[in-house]
Amino acid sequence: MPTGEPICPTCGQALTGGGLVLMDREEDGKRTCRALWKCEERHLWWVWADRPASALDPCPDTELFVD
């Protein structure tokens, strides 16, 4: 994910931070956080917190995090 204000890949609106979720990463067995990002259209994305330059992934559990 590039630096600066993140943009929703679905609707093009600005994303706002929604917190961190601690998880186990399957590919390397590390326990690390995913940073949540959401837009006004309620699209929810996340990225590994220790890999901020990586691409946003759609969050599969949107009903757990959208208010």
Side-chain angles (χ1 to χ4, degrees):
M1 190 169 66
T3 58
E5 185 176 77
I7 302 297
C8 178
T10 302
C11 67
Q13 294 188 35
L15 294 170
T16 57
L20 297 171
V21 179
L22 183 61
M23 333 181 47
D24 291 320
R25 186 167 44 209
E26 291 180 14
E27 67 185 57
D28 61 9
K30 288 185 177 180
R31 191 167 180 175
T32 188
C33 290
R34 283 210 185 233
L36 288 168
W37 294 94
K38 59 184 175 179
C39 70
E40 290 292 324
E41 294 295 319
R42 301 176 67 121
H43 299 125
L44 193 63
W45 302 88
W46 58 9
V47 65
W48 292 111
D50 64 341
R51 298 177 180 172
S54 61
L56 291 166
D57 293 319
C59 180
D61 300 315
T62 56
E63 64 278 354
L64 296 176
F65 305 112
V66 176
D67 39 296

